[in-house]
Structure formats: C-alpha cells, structure tokens
Amino acid sequence: MLRLITAATSEPVSVAQAKRLLHIDHDALDEDIPGVITAARELVERRTGFALAEASYEWTPVGGRETPLPIWPGETSSEPGAFPVLFTSKPGPVPEPLKLAIVMLVGDMLENPEAAGERVLHENPGFARLVFPFTRVLP
C-alpha cells in the first residue's frame, strides 16, 4: 500500500501549458486546473512507476520486499528492514511523452468529470501508447 505523506510542490506541466495544448482560451477553469494536473500526474506516476514530481511516501510492500520502490527514482529515509518503507521520489527531467499524457488526462477529466465516479470511460489508446515505453513491470 502506498500513502502520500508530503505532496509535490511543483508539477511537470503548468496551467498555461495545459490550457495552450487543450485550446482553453478562458479563465473560468483556472482554479480547477491545478488540482486536475496533480491528479493526472499522480495517475501517470502510479501507472508507470516513473517519478514526475518530488513527493514523500509511506509504502507497505507486499511479501516483505523493500525493493524496487513503487515510484522510481527515489531515496529511502527509513532504516533497512523497517516497515513501512519511507521514501522520497527524486525525479529527473520529465520525458515529453509523459507530459503530454498528463495533458491528455487533464483534458479528459475536464471534459468527462463523471469518469471519476462509478461510470468507467474507455481508455484513450493514444494515452496508452505514450506511457507504455515508460511503464515498469514490478515483481
């Protein structure tokens, strides 16, 4: 189980970038877009296991393993063998395909807010193609 302890303070995609790529030319959603960007980034991180913003987590691994971390790269701050494992994600430069995947999710979340509820929308195959090369397969 992965639990966020300290949220990221910056995002790899700005509100201005998202609005430009989504052709949003008004300010009506400016208060909502930052939260949607955060949600989209977290979804991409969990889907790929690739760190996109620095944040701290508490992780209780299944089966007693301590590595690999569920979001990588990261630095552990807990003692070896201690559970839960405390770590901070340490992202490097964010690949452009993952930035675009975040923007695609932002657009989908803004256009289809009901997708966050019980109704499941089909996954965009373009999104899947963008994140697939960065997806880690964990044991």
Side-chain angles (χ1 to χ4, degrees):
M1 179 166 140
L2 185 64
R3 185 174 71 88
L4 180 67
I5 299 210
T6 306
T9 57
S10 65
E11 294 295 342
V13 174
S14 70
V15 171
Q17 288 172 310
K19 287 176 69 173
R20 186 181 70 250
L21 289 168
L22 295 171
H23 304 283
I24 298 173
D25 57 2
H26 56 79
D27 298 332
L29 299 171
D30 282 5
E31 288 184 27
D32 300 325
I33 292 175
V36 177
I37 289 172
T38 297
R41 189 247 323 141
E42 288 176 354
L43 195 150
V44 171
E45 281 182 329
R46 302 246 176 140
R47 172 80 180 260
T48 62
F50 196 87
L52 304 176
E54 186 169 320
S56 297
Y57 298 92
E58 177 183 277
W59 174 51
T60 305
V62 176
R65 67 181 172 86
E66 295 178 44
T67 58
L69 294 173
I71 297 176
W72 180 86
E75 290 180 2
T76 58
S77 56
S78 54
E79 294 294 322
F83 292 100
V85 176
L86 303 175
F87 74 96
T88 301
S89 57
K90 299 289 186 183
V94 177
E96 291 301 317
L98 295 182
K99 289 182 183 179
L100 186 54
I102 291 169
V103 172
M104 289 176 78
L105 284 174
V106 168
D108 191 46
M109 290 174 179
L110 291 173
E111 190 168 317
N112 303 295
E114 70 278 5
E118 293 180 16
R119 182 172 170 223
V120 177
L121 296 177
H122 71 282
E123 188 170 303
N124 184 327
F127 171 82
R129 285 193 295 273
L130 288 169
V131 300
F132 178 76
F134 301 95
T135 303
R136 294 185 327 145
V137 178
L138 298 177

